[in-house]
Amino acid sequence: MNRKVYRKTKSDKKRTIIKIIATLAVSLLICVSAYGIYLVKKAEFAADGAFDDGLGLSDLRDEKVEPLTDNISILFIGVDDSEVRDQNDDNIRSDALILATLNNEDKSIKLVSIPRDTYTYIPDAGYEDKITHAYSYNGPSSTIESVEELLEVPVDYYLRMNFDAFIDTIDALGGIKVEVPYDLTEQDENDSKNAIELKEGIQFLNGSEALALARTRHYDNDIERGKRQQMILESIMNRTLSAGSITKYGDVIEAVGDNMKTSMSFKDMQAFFEYAKNGKPDVETITLDGYDDMTTGIYYWQLEEESLMEVQDVLKSHLGLKPDTSNLTNSGIEQELAEYQTEEEKTPQ
């Protein structure tokens, strides 16, 4: 019995290879899409758990702002509410305060670090004190009101993160690259003495090491401490926006867990990705100049009035807000209004 022998032609083989590639491509697309949906749902769940809808509209705003269309501000509040700290202190205080203003037109960001010992009026207390003490009155809302009183700009959103969330976020990203300004030996998040040792220069730090660098108060002053915190926050932003970190977002989202509270909804958070759509946004860091004050027997960081007013004007301009002219001369008023009108002309209607 004769059998016919069939041989595949080159065209048959080519079609087979194309089918295999197409099948693999579709499978990969399904996997990527499924993973993307999983991350989105996971992020939404975590965001819902961290969401605080009790902040309300700032007294310095006439109407609610939207991240996609308006210039907005976010206050980053770092607190130490660890078990070790709770055993020794009755009140939790803010350990780090950074206000970020975001300009929607040019996708730029300004970061202002507020030293924890800054002497300022605390509305919920009814008197002037260190701004770090504001948190103990009514949590984020008291801190927000104090920051608005100090800088004279609205705080539209806040993000409160404790040390555990800070450490876990950086570890989930695989560490961050920063420039350590000097050799240092510091305690860790559990207050274990000399547990962290860092060398001067560009370093790749894990969460515990980054926290030690952000917190140390033994090698310089509060202004330099604020600059280090700004640098670390910018490094976290860079790492988060890098292509290699996209697969780690699930770990980052899981890391923050119950250790973060924010007034940003999940929709708001998604809108912030617009700032990174065309690459890393332009970030400028700003410091609040001042001087050490021990005249009362208690240490305070007293701000220099002229420097503070300059920072207020910069932030108002960046947010597109009308400047306060109550303390200006006629020539000063004209200059401020001219700058404001220039900004208005730049803003698309």
Side-chain angles (χ1 to χ4, degrees), residues 76-80 85 93-98 111-118 130-132 161 163 166 178-179 181-182 184 186-188 191 210-234 285-288 292 299 301:
F76 294 91
I77 307 173
V79 300
D80 182 4
R85 198 70 59 241
R93 299 170 182 174
S94 58
D95 195 71
L97 288 175
I98 296 178
L111 299 177
V112 183
S113 178
I114 305 172
R116 55 174 286 157
D117 293 323
T118 297
K130 297 181 180 183
I131 199 166
T132 183
M161 185 179 287
F163 289 172
F166 179 87
V178 299
E179 184 172 0
Y182 37 65
L184 71 87
E186 185 59 70
Q187 66 184 23
D188 63 11
D191 291 348
L211 179 64
L213 179 61
R215 292 182 66 199
T216 187
R217 297 163 63 89
H218 306 301
Y219 295 87
D220 43 37
N221 54 39
D222 266 353
I223 286 294
E224 295 304 317
R225 186 173 187 260
K227 290 179 181 178
R228 280 184 270 116
Q229 292 170 352
Q230 289 170 323
M231 173 187 66
I232 289 170
L233 180 57
E234 189 172 354
T285 57
I286 300 173
T287 59
L288 291 171
D292 301 324
Y299 174 77
W301 180 253

Side-chain angles (χ1 to χ4, degrees), residues 118 120-135 137 142-143 145-146 149:
T118 297
T120 188
Y121 182 73
I122 299 176
D124 280 347
Y127 54 80
E128 293 179 311
D129 199 352
K130 297 181 180 183
I131 199 166
T132 183
H133 293 164
Y135 193 91
Y137 289 93
S142 295
T143 298
E145 288 179 357
S146 300
E149 179 79 21

